[in-house]
Coordinates of all heavy atoms in Angstrom, one line a residue:
M1 N 16.2 18.9 -4.7 CA 16.7 17.6 -4.2 C 17.2 17.8 -2.7 O 17.7 18.9 -2.4 CB 17.9 17.2 -5.1 CG 18.3 15.8 -4.8 SD 17.0 14.8 -5.4 CE 17.5 13.2 -5.1
V2 N 17.0 16.9 -1.9 CA 17.4 16.9 -0.5 C 18.9 16.7 -0.5 O 19.5 15.9 -1.1 CB 16.7 15.8 0.3 CG1 17.2 15.8 1.7 CG2 15.2 16.0 0.2
S3 N 19.6 17.5 0.3 CA 21.0 17.5 0.4 C 21.5 16.2 1.3 O 20.7 15.8 2.1 CB 21.6 18.7 1.1 OG 21.3 18.8 2.5
T4 N 22.6 15.8 1.0 CA 23.2 14.6 1.7 C 23.4 15.0 3.2 O 23.1 14.2 4.1 CB 24.6 14.2 1.1 OG1 24.4 13.9 -0.3 CG2 25.2 13.1 1.8
A5 N 23.7 16.3 3.4 CA 23.9 16.7 4.8 C 22.6 16.7 5.6 O 22.6 16.2 6.8 CB 24.5 18.1 4.8
A6 N 21.5 17.0 4.9 CA 20.2 17.0 5.6 C 19.8 15.6 6.0 O 19.3 15.3 7.1 CB 19.2 17.7 4.8
V7 N 20.0 14.7 5.0 CA 19.7 13.3 5.3 C 20.6 12.7 6.4 O 20.1 12.0 7.3 CB 19.9 12.4 4.0 CG1 19.7 10.9 4.3 CG2 18.9 12.9 3.0
K8 N 21.9 13.0 6.4 CA 22.8 12.6 7.5 C 22.3 13.1 8.8 O 22.3 12.4 9.8 CB 24.2 13.0 7.2 CG 24.8 12.2 6.1 CD 26.3 12.6 5.8 CE 26.9 11.8 4.8 NZ 28.3 12.2 4.5
R9 N 21.9 14.4 8.9 CA 21.4 15.0 10.1 C 20.2 14.2 10.6 O 20.1 13.9 11.8 CB 21.1 16.5 10.0 CG 22.4 17.3 10.1 CD 22.0 18.8 10.2 NE 21.1 19.3 9.2 CZ 21.4 19.7 8.0 NH1 22.7 19.8 7.7 NH2 20.5 20.2 7.1
A10 N 19.3 14.0 9.7 CA 18.0 13.3 10.1 C 18.3 11.9 10.6 O 17.8 11.4 11.6 CB 17.1 13.2 8.9
L11 N 19.2 11.2 9.9 CA 19.5 9.8 10.4 C 20.3 9.8 11.7 O 20.0 9.0 12.5 CB 20.4 9.1 9.3 CG 19.6 8.8 8.0 CD1 20.6 8.2 7.0 CD2 18.5 7.8 8.3
S12 N 21.1 10.8 11.9 CA 21.9 10.9 13.1 C 20.9 11.2 14.3 O 21.0 10.6 15.4 CB 22.9 12.0 13.0 OG 23.6 12.2 14.3
A13 N 19.9 12.0 14.0 CA 19.0 12.4 15.1 C 18.1 11.1 15.4 O 17.9 10.9 16.6 CB 18.0 13.5 14.6
L14 N 17.8 10.4 14.4 CA 17.0 9.1 14.7 C 17.9 8.1 15.5 O 17.4 7.5 16.4 CB 16.5 8.5 13.4 CG 15.4 9.2 12.7 CD1 15.1 8.6 11.3 CD2 14.1 9.2 13.5
A15 N 19.1 8.0 15.1 CA 20.0 7.0 15.7 C 20.3 7.4 17.2 O 20.5 6.5 18.0 CB 21.3 6.9 15.0
S16 N 20.3 8.7 17.5 CA 20.6 9.1 18.9 C 19.4 9.4 19.7 O 19.5 9.9 20.8 CB 21.5 10.3 18.8 OG 20.8 11.4 18.2
R17 N 18.3 9.0 19.3 CA 17.0 9.2 20.0 C 17.1 8.6 21.4 O 17.6 7.5 21.5 CB 15.8 8.6 19.3 CG 15.3 9.4 18.2 CD 14.1 8.7 17.6 NE 13.0 8.7 18.6 CZ 11.7 8.8 18.2 NH1 11.5 8.8 16.9 NH2 10.8 8.7 19.1
T18 N 16.6 9.3 22.4 CA 16.5 8.7 23.7 C 15.0 8.5 24.1 O 14.8 8.1 25.2 CB 17.2 9.6 24.7 OG1 16.6 10.9 24.7 CG2 18.7 9.7 24.4
D19 N 14.1 8.8 23.2 CA 12.7 8.7 23.5 C 12.3 7.2 23.5 O 12.2 6.6 22.4 CB 11.9 9.5 22.5 CG 10.4 9.3 22.7 OD1 10.0 8.8 23.7 OD2 9.6 9.7 21.8
T20 N 12.3 6.6 24.6 CA 12.0 5.1 24.6 C 10.5 4.9 24.8 O 10.1 3.7 24.8 CB 12.7 4.4 25.7 OG1 12.4 5.1 27.0 CG2 14.2 4.5 25.5
A21 N 9.7 5.9 24.9 CA 8.2 5.7 25.1 C 7.6 5.3 23.7 O 6.5 4.7 23.7 CB 7.6 7.0 25.6
T22 N 8.2 5.6 22.6 CA 7.7 5.3 21.3 C 8.5 4.1 20.7 O 9.7 4.2 20.6 CB 7.8 6.5 20.4 OG1 7.1 7.6 20.9 CG2 7.3 6.2 19.0
R23 N 7.8 3.1 20.4 CA 8.5 1.9 19.8 C 9.1 2.4 18.4 O 8.5 3.2 17.7 CB 7.5 0.8 19.5 CG 7.1 0.1 20.8 CD 6.2 -1.1 20.6 NE 5.3 -1.1 19.5 CZ 4.1 -0.6 19.6 NH1 3.6 0.0 20.7 NH2 3.3 -0.6 18.5
P24 N 10.3 1.8 18.1 CA 10.9 2.2 16.8 C 10.0 2.1 15.6 O 10.0 2.9 14.7 CB 12.1 1.3 16.7 CG 12.4 0.9 18.1 CD 11.1 0.9 18.8
S25 N 9.2 1.0 15.6 CA 8.3 0.8 14.4 C 7.3 1.9 14.3 O 7.0 2.5 13.2 CB 7.6 -0.5 14.5 OG 6.8 -0.6 15.6
V26 N 6.8 2.4 15.5 CA 5.8 3.5 15.5 C 6.5 4.8 15.1 O 5.9 5.6 14.4 CB 5.1 3.6 16.9 CG1 4.2 4.8 16.9 CG2 4.3 2.3 17.2
A27 N 7.7 5.0 15.5 CA 8.4 6.2 15.1 C 8.6 6.3 13.6 O 8.5 7.3 13.0 CB 9.8 6.2 15.8
V28 N 8.9 5.1 12.9 CA 9.0 5.1 11.5 C 7.7 5.4 10.8 O 7.6 6.2 9.9 CB 9.6 3.8 11.0 CG1 9.6 3.7 9.5 CG2 11.0 3.6 11.5
I29 N 6.6 4.8 11.3 CA 5.3 5.1 10.8 C 4.9 6.5 11.0 O 4.4 7.2 10.0 CB 4.3 4.1 11.4 CG1 4.5 2.7 10.9 CG2 2.8 4.6 11.1 CD1 3.7 1.6 11.7
D30 N 5.2 7.1 12.1 CA 5.0 8.5 12.4 C 5.8 9.4 11.4 O 5.3 10.4 10.8 CB 5.4 8.9 13.8 CG 4.5 8.4 14.9 OD1 3.3 7.9 14.6 OD2 4.9 8.4 16.1
E31 N 7.0 9.0 11.2 CA 7.9 9.7 10.2 C 7.3 9.7 8.8 O 7.3 10.7 8.1 CB 9.3 9.1 10.3 CG 10.3 9.7 9.3 CD 11.6 9.0 9.3 OE1 11.8 8.0 10.0 OE2 12.5 9.4 8.5
A32 N 6.9 8.5 8.4 CA 6.3 8.4 7.0 C 5.0 9.2 6.9 O 4.8 9.9 5.9 CB 6.1 6.9 6.7
E33 N 4.2 9.1 7.9 CA 2.9 9.8 7.9 C 3.2 11.4 7.8 O 2.5 12.1 7.0 CB 2.1 9.5 9.1 CG 0.7 9.9 9.0 CD -0.1 9.3 10.2 OE1 0.3 9.5 11.4 OE2 -1.1 8.7 10.0
A34 N 4.1 11.9 8.6 CA 4.4 13.3 8.6 C 5.1 13.7 7.2 O 4.8 14.8 6.8 CB 5.4 13.6 9.7
A35 N 5.9 12.8 6.6 CA 6.5 13.2 5.4 C 5.6 13.3 4.2 O 5.9 14.0 3.2 CB 7.6 12.1 5.0
R36 N 4.4 12.7 4.3 CA 3.4 12.8 3.2 C 3.0 14.2 2.9 O 2.6 14.5 1.8 CB 2.2 12.0 3.6 CG 2.4 10.5 3.6 CD 1.3 9.7 4.2 NE 0.0 10.0 3.6 CZ -1.2 9.6 4.0 NH1 -1.2 8.8 5.0 NH2 -2.3 9.9 3.4
G37 N 3.1 15.1 3.8 CA 2.6 16.5 3.6 C 3.6 17.4 3.1 O 3.3 18.6 2.9
D38 N 4.8 17.0 2.9 CA 5.9 17.9 2.4 C 6.8 17.2 1.4 O 7.4 16.2 1.7 CB 6.7 18.4 3.6 CG 7.8 19.3 3.2 OD1 8.9 18.8 2.9 OD2 7.6 20.6 3.2
L39 N 6.8 17.7 0.2 CA 7.6 17.1 -0.9 C 9.0 16.8 -0.5 O 9.6 15.7 -0.7 CB 7.5 17.9 -2.2 CG 8.1 17.3 -3.4 CD1 7.5 15.9 -3.7 CD2 7.9 18.2 -4.6
R40 N 9.7 17.8 0.0 CA 11.1 17.7 0.4 C 11.3 16.6 1.5 O 12.2 15.8 1.4 CB 11.7 19.0 0.9 CG 11.9 20.0 -0.3 CD 12.5 21.2 0.3 NE 12.4 22.2 -0.8 CZ 13.5 23.0 -1.1 NH1 14.6 22.8 -0.5 NH2 13.4 23.8 -2.1
R41 N 10.4 16.6 2.4 CA 10.5 15.7 3.5 C 10.2 14.3 3.0 O 10.8 13.3 3.4 CB 9.5 16.0 4.6 CG 9.7 15.3 5.9 CD 8.9 16.0 7.0 NE 9.0 15.3 8.2 CZ 8.4 15.6 9.3 NH1 7.6 16.6 9.4 NH2 8.6 14.9 10.4
A42 N 9.2 14.1 2.1 CA 8.9 12.9 1.5 C 10.1 12.3 0.7 O 10.5 11.1 0.8 CB 7.7 13.0 0.6
A43 N 10.8 13.2 -0.1 CA 12.0 12.8 -0.8 C 13.1 12.3 0.1 O 13.8 11.3 -0.2 CB 12.5 13.9 -1.7
A44 N 13.3 13.1 1.2 CA 14.3 12.7 2.2 C 14.0 11.3 2.8 O 14.9 10.5 3.0 CB 14.5 13.7 3.3
F45 N 12.7 11.1 3.1 CA 12.3 9.8 3.7 C 12.6 8.7 2.7 O 13.2 7.7 3.1 CB 10.8 9.9 4.0 CG 10.3 8.6 4.6 CD1 10.5 8.3 5.9 CD2 9.6 7.7 3.8 CE1 10.0 7.1 6.5 CE2 9.1 6.5 4.4 CZ 9.3 6.2 5.7
V46 N 12.3 8.8 1.4 CA 12.5 7.8 0.4 C 14.0 7.6 0.2 O 14.5 6.5 0.2 CB 11.8 8.1 -0.9 CG1 12.3 7.2 -2.0 CG2 10.3 8.1 -0.7
D47 N 14.8 8.7 0.2 CA 16.2 8.6 0.0 C 16.9 7.9 1.1 O 18.0 7.4 1.0 CB 16.8 10.0 -0.2 CG 16.6 10.6 -1.6 OD1 16.1 9.9 -2.5 OD2 16.8 11.8 -1.7
A48 N 16.3 8.0 2.3 CA 16.9 7.3 3.5 C 16.4 5.9 3.7 O 16.3 5.5 4.9 CB 16.7 8.2 4.7
D49 N 16.1 5.2 2.6 CA 15.5 3.9 2.7 C 14.3 3.8 3.5 O 14.0 2.8 4.2 CB 16.6 2.9 3.2 CG 17.8 2.7 2.3 OD1 17.5 2.7 1.0 OD2 18.9 2.6 2.7
G50 N 13.5 4.9 3.5 CA 12.3 5.0 4.3 C 11.3 3.9 4.0 O 10.6 3.4 4.9
L51 N 11.1 3.6 2.7 CA 10.1 2.6 2.3 C 10.4 1.2 2.8 O 9.5 0.5 3.3 CB 9.9 2.6 0.8 CG 9.4 4.0 0.2 CD1 9.3 3.9 -1.3 CD2 8.1 4.4 0.8
D52 N 11.7 0.9 2.8 CA 12.0 -0.4 3.4 C 11.8 -0.4 4.9 O 11.3 -1.4 5.4 CB 13.5 -0.8 3.1 CG 13.8 -1.1 1.6 OD1 12.8 -1.5 0.9 OD2 14.9 -0.9 1.2
R53 N 12.2 0.7 5.5 CA 12.0 0.8 7.0 C 10.5 0.8 7.3 O 10.1 0.2 8.3 CB 12.7 2.0 7.5 CG 14.2 2.0 7.5 CD 14.9 3.2 8.1 NE 14.5 4.4 7.4 CZ 13.9 5.5 8.1 NH1 13.6 5.4 9.3 NH2 13.6 6.6 7.4
L54 N 9.7 1.4 6.4 CA 8.3 1.5 6.6 C 7.7 0.1 6.5 O 6.8 -0.3 7.3 CB 7.6 2.4 5.6 CG 6.1 2.6 5.7 CD1 5.7 3.0 7.1 CD2 5.6 3.5 4.7
D55 N 8.1 -0.7 5.5 CA 7.6 -2.1 5.4 C 7.9 -2.9 6.6 O 7.1 -3.6 7.2 CB 8.2 -2.8 4.2 CG 7.6 -2.3 2.9 OD1 6.4 -1.7 2.9 OD2 8.2 -2.4 1.8
D56 N 9.2 -2.7 7.1 CA 9.6 -3.4 8.4 C 8.7 -3.0 9.6 O 8.3 -3.8 10.4 CB 11.1 -3.2 8.7 CG 12.0 -3.8 7.7 OD1 11.5 -4.7 6.9 OD2 13.2 -3.4 7.6
A57 N 8.4 -1.7 9.6 CA 7.7 -1.1 10.7 C 6.2 -1.6 10.7 O 5.6 -2.0 11.7 CB 7.7 0.4 10.7
I58 N 5.7 -1.7 9.5 CA 4.3 -2.3 9.4 C 4.3 -3.7 9.9 O 3.4 -4.1 10.6 CB 3.8 -2.2 7.9 CG1 3.6 -0.7 7.5 CG2 2.5 -2.9 7.7 CD1 3.5 -0.5 6.0
G59 N 5.2 -4.5 9.4 CA 5.3 -5.9 9.9 C 5.5 -6.0 11.4 O 4.8 -6.8 12.1
A60 N 6.3 -5.1 12.0 CA 6.5 -5.1 13.4 C 5.2 -4.8 14.2 O 4.8 -5.4 15.2 CB 7.6 -4.2 13.9
A61 N 4.5 -3.8 13.6 CA 3.2 -3.4 14.2 C 2.2 -4.5 14.1 O 1.4 -4.8 15.1 CB 2.7 -2.1 13.6
E62 N 2.1 -5.2 13.0 CA 1.2 -6.3 12.8 C 1.5 -7.4 13.8 O 0.7 -8.0 14.5 CB 1.3 -6.8 11.4 CG 0.7 -5.9 10.4 CD 0.9 -6.3 9.0 OE1 1.8 -7.1 8.7 OE2 0.2 -5.7 8.1
R63 N 2.8 -7.7 14.0 CA 3.2 -8.8 14.9 C 2.9 -8.4 16.3 O 2.6 -9.3 17.2 CB 4.7 -9.1 14.7 CG 5.1 -9.9 13.5 CD 6.5 -10.3 13.4 NE 7.5 -9.2 13.4 CZ 7.8 -8.5 12.4 NH1 7.3 -8.7 11.2 NH2 8.7 -7.5 12.5
A64 N 3.0 -7.1 16.7 CA 2.7 -6.7 18.0 C 1.2 -6.5 18.3 O 0.8 -6.2 19.4 CB 3.4 -5.3 18.3
G65 N 0.4 -6.8 17.2 CA -1.0 -6.7 17.4 C -1.6 -5.3 17.4 O -2.7 -5.0 17.8
D66 N -0.8 -4.4 16.9 CA -1.1 -3.0 16.9 C -1.7 -2.6 15.5 O -1.0 -2.1 14.6 CB 0.1 -2.1 17.2 CG -0.3 -0.6 17.4 OD1 -1.4 -0.2 17.1 OD2 0.6 0.1 17.8
E67 N -2.9 -3.0 15.3 CA -3.6 -2.8 14.0 C -3.7 -1.3 13.6 O -3.6 -1.0 12.4 CB -4.9 -3.5 13.9 CG -5.6 -3.5 12.6 CD -4.7 -4.1 11.5 OE1 -4.0 -5.1 11.7 OE2 -4.8 -3.6 10.3
A68 N -4.0 -0.5 14.5 CA -4.1 1.0 14.2 C -2.8 1.5 13.6 O -2.9 2.2 12.6 CB -4.5 1.7 15.4
D69 N -1.7 1.2 14.2 CA -0.4 1.7 13.7 C -0.1 1.0 12.4 O 0.4 1.7 11.4 CB 0.7 1.6 14.7 CG 0.6 2.7 15.8 OD1 0.2 3.8 15.5 OD2 1.0 2.4 16.9
A70 N -0.4 -0.3 12.3 CA -0.1 -1.0 11.0 C -0.9 -0.4 9.9 O -0.4 -0.2 8.8 CB -0.5 -2.5 11.2
E71 N -2.2 0.0 10.2 CA -3.0 0.6 9.1 C -2.5 2.0 8.8 O -2.5 2.3 7.6 CB -4.5 0.7 9.6 CG -5.4 1.3 8.6 CD -5.5 0.5 7.3 OE1 -5.2 -0.7 7.3 OE2 -5.8 1.1 6.2
R72 N -2.1 2.8 9.7 CA -1.5 4.1 9.4 C -0.3 3.9 8.5 O -0.1 4.6 7.5 CB -1.0 4.8 10.7 CG -2.1 5.4 11.5 CD -1.7 6.3 12.6 NE -0.5 5.8 13.4 CZ 0.6 6.5 13.5 NH1 0.8 7.6 12.8 NH2 1.6 6.0 14.2
G73 N 0.5 2.9 8.8 CA 1.7 2.6 7.9 C 1.3 2.2 6.5 O 1.9 2.6 5.5
R74 N 0.3 1.3 6.4 CA -0.2 0.9 5.1 C -0.7 2.1 4.3 O -0.5 2.2 3.1 CB -1.2 -0.2 5.2 CG -0.7 -1.5 5.7 CD -1.7 -2.7 5.6 NE -2.7 -2.5 6.6 CZ -2.7 -3.1 7.8 NH1 -1.7 -3.8 8.2 NH2 -3.7 -3.0 8.6
E75 N -1.4 3.0 5.0 CA -1.9 4.2 4.3 C -0.8 5.1 3.8 O -0.8 5.6 2.7 CB -2.9 5.0 5.2 CG -4.2 4.3 5.5 CD -5.0 5.0 6.5 OE1 -4.6 6.1 7.0 OE2 -6.1 4.4 6.8
A76 N 0.2 5.2 4.6 CA 1.4 6.0 4.2 C 2.1 5.3 3.1 O 2.5 6.0 2.1 CB 2.4 6.2 5.4
R77 N 2.3 4.0 3.1 CA 2.9 3.3 2.0 C 2.1 3.5 0.7 O 2.7 3.7 -0.3 CB 3.1 1.8 2.4 CG 3.8 1.0 1.3 CD 4.0 -0.4 1.7 NE 2.7 -1.0 2.1 CZ 2.7 -2.1 2.8 NH1 3.7 -2.7 3.2 NH2 1.5 -2.6 3.1
A78 N 0.8 3.4 0.8 CA 0.0 3.6 -0.4 C 0.1 5.0 -0.9 O 0.2 5.2 -2.2 CB -1.5 3.3 -0.1
A79 N 0.3 6.0 -0.1 CA 0.5 7.4 -0.5 C 1.8 7.5 -1.3 O 1.9 8.1 -2.3 CB 0.4 8.3 0.7
F80 N 2.9 6.9 -0.7 CA 4.1 6.9 -1.4 C 4.1 6.2 -2.7 O 4.8 6.7 -3.7 CB 5.3 6.4 -0.5 CG 5.7 7.4 0.5 CD1 5.3 7.3 1.8 CD2 6.7 8.3 0.2 CE1 5.7 8.2 2.8 CE2 7.1 9.3 1.1 CZ 6.6 9.2 2.4
R81 N 3.3 5.2 -2.9 CA 3.2 4.5 -4.2 C 2.5 5.4 -5.2 O 2.8 5.5 -6.3 CB 2.4 3.2 -4.0 CG 3.2 2.1 -3.4 CD 2.4 0.8 -3.3 NE 3.2 -0.2 -2.7 CZ 2.8 -1.2 -2.0 NH1 1.5 -1.3 -1.8 NH2 3.6 -2.1 -1.5
R82 N 1.5 6.2 -4.7 CA 0.8 7.1 -5.5 C 1.7 8.2 -6.0 O 1.7 8.7 -7.1 CB -0.5 7.7 -4.9 CG -1.6 6.7 -4.7 CD -2.9 7.3 -4.2 NE -2.8 8.0 -3.0 CZ -3.0 7.4 -1.8 NH1 -3.3 6.2 -1.7 NH2 -2.9 8.2 -0.7
F83 N 2.6 8.7 -5.0 CA 3.6 9.7 -5.4 C 4.5 9.2 -6.5 O 4.8 9.9 -7.5 CB 4.5 10.1 -4.2 CG 3.7 10.7 -3.0 CD1 4.3 10.7 -1.8 CD2 2.5 11.4 -3.2 CE1 3.7 11.3 -0.7 CE2 1.9 12.0 -2.2 CZ 2.5 12.0 -0.9
R84 N 4.9 7.9 -6.3 CA 5.8 7.3 -7.3 C 5.2 7.2 -8.7 O 5.8 7.5 -9.7 CB 6.3 6.0 -6.9 CG 7.3 5.3 -7.9 CD 7.8 4.0 -7.3 NE 8.8 4.3 -6.3 CZ 9.1 3.5 -5.3 NH1 8.5 2.3 -5.2 NH2 10.0 3.8 -4.5
E85 N 3.9 6.8 -8.7 CA 3.2 6.7 -10.0 C 3.0 8.1 -10.6 O 3.2 8.2 -11.8 CB 1.8 6.1 -9.7 CG 1.9 4.6 -9.4 CD 0.5 4.0 -8.9 OE1 -0.5 4.8 -8.9 OE2 0.5 2.8 -8.6
A86 N 2.7 9.1 -9.8 CA 2.6 10.4 -10.3 C 3.9 10.9 -10.9 O 4.0 11.6 -12.0 CB 2.1 11.4 -9.3
A87 N 5.0 10.7 -10.2 CA 6.3 11.1 -10.7 C 6.7 10.4 -12.0 O 7.4 10.9 -12.8 CB 7.4 10.9 -9.6
A88 N 6.3 9.2 -12.1 CA 6.6 8.4 -13.3 C 5.7 8.8 -14.5 O 5.9 8.3 -15.6 CB 6.4 6.9 -13.0
G89 N 4.8 9.7 -14.3 CA 3.9 10.2 -15.4 C 2.9 9.2 -15.8 O 2.5 9.1 -16.9
S90 N 2.4 8.4 -14.8 CA 1.3 7.4 -15.1 C 0.1 8.2 -15.7 O -0.3 9.2 -15.3 CB 0.9 6.7 -13.8 OG -0.2 5.9 -14.0
D91 N -0.5 7.5 -16.7 CA -1.7 8.1 -17.3 C -3.0 7.9 -16.5 O -4.0 8.5 -16.7 CB -2.0 7.5 -18.7 CG -0.9 7.9 -19.7 OD1 -0.3 9.0 -19.5 OD2 -0.7 7.2 -20.7
V92 N -2.9 7.0 -15.5 CA -4.0 6.7 -14.6 C -4.1 7.8 -13.5 O -3.1 8.0 -12.8 CB -3.8 5.3 -14.0 CG1 -5.0 5.0 -13.0 CG2 -3.7 4.3 -15.1
R93 N -5.2 8.4 -13.4 CA -5.4 9.5 -12.4 C -5.9 8.8 -11.1 O -6.8 8.0 -11.1 CB -6.5 10.4 -12.8 CG -6.5 11.7 -12.0 CD -7.5 12.7 -12.5 NE -8.5 12.8 -11.4 CZ -9.8 12.7 -11.5 NH1 -10.3 12.5 -12.7 NH2 -10.6 12.8 -10.5
I94 N -5.1 9.1 -10.0 CA -5.5 8.4 -8.7 C -5.9 9.5 -7.8 O -5.1 10.5 -7.5 CB -4.2 7.7 -8.2 CG1 -3.9 6.6 -9.2 CG2 -4.5 7.1 -6.8 CD1 -2.6 5.8 -8.8
V95 N -7.1 9.4 -7.2 CA -7.6 10.3 -6.2 C -8.1 9.5 -5.0 O -8.9 8.6 -5.2 CB -8.7 11.2 -6.8 CG1 -9.3 12.1 -5.8 CG2 -8.2 11.9 -8.0
D96 N -7.6 9.9 -3.8 CA -8.0 9.2 -2.6 C -7.9 7.7 -2.7 O -8.8 7.0 -2.3 CB -9.4 9.6 -2.2 CG -9.5 11.1 -1.8 OD1 -8.5 11.6 -1.4 OD2 -10.5 11.7 -2.0
G97 N -6.9 7.2 -3.4 CA -6.7 5.7 -3.5 C -7.5 5.0 -4.6 O -7.3 3.8 -4.8
W98 N -8.3 5.8 -5.4 CA -9.1 5.2 -6.4 C -8.5 5.6 -7.8 O -8.2 6.8 -8.0 CB -10.5 5.6 -6.3 CG -11.2 5.1 -5.1 CD1 -11.3 5.7 -3.9 CD2 -11.7 3.8 -4.9 NE1 -11.9 4.9 -3.0 CE2 -12.2 3.8 -3.6 CE3 -11.9 2.7 -5.7 CZ2 -12.8 2.6 -3.0 CZ3 -12.5 1.6 -5.2 CH2 -12.9 1.5 -3.8
S99 N -8.4 4.7 -8.7 CA -7.9 5.1 -10.0 C -9.0 5.1 -11.0 O -10.0 4.5 -10.9 CB -6.8 4.1 -10.5 OG -7.4 2.9 -10.9
D100 N -8.8 5.9 -12.1 CA -9.7 5.9 -13.2 C -10.0 4.6 -13.8 O -11.0 4.3 -14.3 CB -9.2 6.9 -14.3 CG -9.4 8.3 -13.9 OD1 -10.1 8.6 -12.9 OD2 -8.7 9.2 -14.6
E101 N -9.0 3.7 -13.8 CA -9.1 2.4 -14.4 C -10.2 1.5 -13.7 O -10.7 0.7 -14.3 CB -7.8 1.6 -14.3 CG -6.7 2.2 -15.2 CD -5.4 1.4 -15.1 OE1 -5.2 0.7 -14.1 OE2 -4.7 1.4 -16.1
N102 N -10.4 1.8 -12.4 CA -11.4 1.1 -11.6 C -12.8 1.7 -11.6 O -13.7 1.2 -10.9 CB -10.9 0.9 -10.2 CG -9.6 0.1 -10.2 OD1 -9.4 -0.8 -11.0 ND2 -8.8 0.4 -9.2
D103 N -12.9 2.8 -12.4 CA -14.2 3.5 -12.4 C -15.2 2.8 -13.2 O -15.1 2.5 -14.3 CB -14.0 4.9 -13.0 CG -15.2 5.8 -12.8 OD1 -16.2 5.4 -12.3 OD2 -15.1 7.0 -13.2
E104 N -16.3 2.4 -12.5 CA -17.4 1.6 -13.2 C -18.6 2.5 -13.4 O -19.7 2.0 -13.6 CB -17.8 0.5 -12.3 CG -16.7 -0.6 -12.1 CD -16.4 -1.4 -13.4 OE1 -17.4 -1.5 -14.2 OE2 -15.3 -1.8 -13.6
S105 N -18.4 3.8 -13.4 CA -19.5 4.7 -13.6 C -20.1 4.6 -15.0 O -19.5 4.1 -15.9 CB -19.1 6.2 -13.3 OG -18.2 6.6 -14.4
D106 N -21.3 5.1 -15.2 CA -21.9 5.1 -16.5 C -21.1 5.8 -17.5 O -21.1 5.4 -18.7 CB -23.3 5.7 -16.4 CG -24.3 4.9 -15.6 OD1 -24.1 3.7 -15.5 OD2 -25.3 5.4 -15.2
E107 N -20.4 6.9 -17.1 CA -19.6 7.7 -18.1 C -18.5 6.8 -18.7 O -18.2 6.9 -19.8 CB -19.0 8.9 -17.4 CG -20.0 9.9 -16.9 CD -20.8 10.5 -18.0 OE1 -20.2 10.9 -19.0 OE2 -22.0 10.7 -17.9
R108 N -17.9 6.0 -17.9 CA -16.8 5.1 -18.4 C -17.3 4.0 -19.3 O -16.6 3.6 -20.1 CB -16.0 4.5 -17.2 CG -15.2 5.5 -16.4 CD -13.9 5.8 -17.1 NE -13.0 4.7 -17.1 CZ -11.8 4.7 -17.6 NH1 -11.3 5.8 -18.0 NH2 -11.1 3.6 -17.6
R109 N -18.4 3.5 -19.0 CA -18.9 2.4 -19.8 C -19.5 2.7 -21.1 O -19.6 1.9 -22.0 CB -20.0 1.6 -19.0 CG -19.4 0.8 -17.8 CD -20.5 0.1 -17.2 NE -21.0 0.9 -16.1 CZ -21.9 0.6 -15.3 NH1 -22.6 -0.5 -15.4 NH2 -22.3 1.4 -14.3
R110 N -19.7 4.0 -21.4 CA -20.3 4.4 -22.7 C -19.3 4.5 -23.8 O -18.2 4.7 -23.8 CB -20.9 5.8 -22.5 CG -22.2 5.7 -21.7 CD -22.9 7.0 -21.6 NE -24.0 6.9 -20.7 CZ -24.6 7.9 -20.2 NH1 -24.4 9.1 -20.6 NH2 -25.6 7.7 -19.4

């Protein structure tokens, strides 16, 4: 589990950022994308209301007409949903965004 102190440090660093070249919405999308590769970082992102911030960032990117960043955000959000499903013990196997439930192969129809 991620410590409260680690989350506070991360939030403090974000709040005191002076990097104005990156829009806040893009910074959140970058953060979400980077967190996908590390379980502890992903947990810290979720614990710090990251999914709500990610939804807001996707909306901001869409409103700004930045489809590339909005798509990166949607991909990160989908990955976090898959993480949640896996953690919940879902019986549906999800690989690269596709679930067994949607498999129309000959093997499934038999």
